[in-house]
């Protein structure tokens, strides 16, 4: 941040603060102490350095932390998120990589510098077992995605947490594109409207009958296109008073 102008630095701070406010609000509603929130933020920050392929010393420099601190964060990350990553997040990332065309395990490892080769092999095996990918035998074994529809809907804790991470990541991408890159493809709208309780099912119907089929058709049309853009699309709705106090006072 030191090489940025004052105005851009202030904008970055305000944008990050705006994104942290909902997390703080949720933590307060759930009774999570601020110290635990701060600890989780440190782990999440380190997690992102790993996802971007930064080495330990590079991560320490970017975080302004000691090597000892980074080693501690690495241990905490493995303890808390290893299972979720290997069973849900990593297979989904690999599935997206091989959607455009078959790839070898070695090429997949190169594309995921933050992931250990052992974890990649395990995730590929899981994808094959779940019939989301297949092995293509040959001089070099490659893996191909089987399902064009990638709505990985499952009523389990890990699946819902993975979906939450996808949603939050999409929000971060949209914010960065709109505020700092002038990215025309980044689009976000929040619409406030009233709805009767009996009309709520129509929101689900809107998604199932119009939004999803349209996106599916666009996705299929882009298969194999070298110039296709990889976009994330989120549709959100929720009552404004979802986190209202029990005593009826607004937060």
């Amino acid at each position: 941040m030191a090489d940025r102008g004052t105005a851009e630095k202030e904008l970055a701070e305000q944008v990050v603060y705006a994104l942290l406010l909902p997390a703080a609000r949720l933590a307060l509603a759930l009774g999570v102490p601020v110290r635990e929130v701060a600890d989780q933020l440190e782990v999440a920050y380190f997690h992102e350095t790993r996802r971007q392929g930064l080495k330990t010393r590079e991560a320490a420099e970017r975080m302004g932390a000691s090597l000892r601190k980074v080693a501690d964060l690495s241990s905490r990350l493995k303890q808390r998120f290893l299972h979720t990553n290997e069973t849900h997040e990593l297979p989904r990332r690999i599935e997206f990589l091989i959607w455009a065309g078959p790839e070898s395990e070695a090429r997949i490892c190169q594309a995921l510098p933050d992931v250990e080769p052992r974890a990649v092999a395990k995730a590929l095996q899981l994808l094959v077992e779940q019939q989301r990918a297949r092995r293509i035998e040959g001089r070099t074994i490659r893996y191909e995605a089987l399902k064009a529809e990638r709505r990985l809907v499952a009523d389990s804790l890990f699946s819902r947490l993975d979906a939450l991470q996808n949603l939050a990541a999409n929000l971060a991408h949209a914010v960065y594109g709109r505020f700092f890159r002038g990215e025309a493809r980044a689009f976000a709208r929040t619409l406030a409207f009233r709805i009767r309780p009996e009309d709520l099912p129509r929101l689900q119907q809107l998604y199932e009958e119009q939004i999803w089929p349209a996106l599916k058709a666009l996705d299929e049309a882009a298969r194999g296109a070298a110039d296709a853009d990889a976009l994330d699309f989120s549709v959100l709705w929720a009552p404004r008073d979802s986190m209202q106090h029990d005593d009826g006072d607004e937060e």
Side-chain angles (χ1 to χ4, degrees):
M1 297 294 294
D3 59 339
R4 295 183 178 181
T6 302
E8 186 173 355
K9 181 178 184 296
E10 292 179 352
L11 174 61
E13 291 174 350
Q14 295 208 26
V15 168
V16 171
Y17 185 78
L19 291 175
L20 289 176
L21 271 177
R25 187 183 190 196
L26 184 60
L28 182 60
L30 297 176
V32 180
V34 67
R35 180 64 257 175
E36 292 185 18
V37 175
D39 289 343
Q40 292 183 45
L41 177 58
E42 286 184 336
V43 175
Y45 202 120
F46 172 74
H47 192 177
E48 184 59 24
T49 67
R50 277 290 183 260
R51 286 178 61 90
Q52 294 188 20
L54 272 63
K55 303 300 183 182
T56 300
R57 188 171 297 277
E58 294 174 322
E61 292 176 356
R62 292 287 295 273
M63 296 182 68
S66 66
L67 293 176
R68 182 177 180 181
K69 177 67 174 182
V70 169
D72 176 64
L73 289 173
S74 178
S75 177
R76 287 159 57 189
L77 176 64
K78 291 178 181 178
Q79 291 174 2
R80 298 181 62 179
F81 301 112
L82 183 60
H83 179 70
T84 300
N85 180 62
E86 289 191 351
T87 59
H88 293 279
E89 180 185 2
L90 180 55
R92 177 184 54 77
R93 292 173 66 189
I94 293 176
E95 187 176 20
F96 187 82
L97 281 175
I98 62 178
W99 169 78
E103 295 286 359
S104 67
E105 184 173 330
R107 289 291 299 273
I108 294 172
C109 287
Q110 291 176 2
L112 301 172
D114 60 312
V115 181
E116 296 181 359
R118 176 198 60 81
V120 170
K122 186 176 180 180
L124 284 170
Q125 180 180 357
L126 182 63
L127 286 172
V128 172
E129 291 174 353
Q130 294 179 344
Q131 297 183 343
R132 291 158 56 187
R134 72 181 181 93
R135 286 166 54 101
I136 301 178
E137 302 295 338
R139 185 173 181 179
T140 299
I141 296 176
R142 296 184 298 166
Y143 292 85
E144 178 183 42
L146 286 180
K147 295 182 179 180
E149 300 180 16
R150 293 183 297 279
R151 289 187 299 173
L152 309 180
V153 180
D155 187 19
S156 71
L157 175 60
F158 288 128
S159 292
R160 283 179 283 158
L161 286 173
D162 183 51
L164 175 60
Q165 289 186 23
N166 296 341
L167 175 62
N170 191 18
L171 174 60
H173 294 157
V175 168
Y176 187 74
R178 289 171 63 81
F179 278 89
F180 303 105
R181 294 288 298 275
E183 174 57 74
R185 293 169 298 178
F187 185 85
R189 289 291 185 274
T190 297
L191 304 177
F193 63 98
R194 298 179 181 277
I195 188 170
R196 300 176 302 174
E198 61 266 29
D199 290 332
L200 282 172
R202 294 179 60 184
L203 289 176
Q204 183 70 24
Q205 182 181 15
L206 174 66
Y207 172 74
E208 294 289 348
E209 297 182 3
Q210 298 185 44
I211 296 175
W212 169 242
L215 294 180
K216 179 183 176 183
L218 291 172
D219 186 70
E220 288 295 338
R223 180 178 286 273
D227 60 345
D229 287 322
L231 301 181
D232 290 324
F233 180 90
S234 298
V235 178
L236 311 174
W237 63 76
R240 288 188 174 184
D241 60 353
S242 295
M243 296 176 63
Q244 189 175 20
H245 285 307
D246 292 338
D247 59 7
D249 294 334
E250 288 289 328
E251 292 186 334

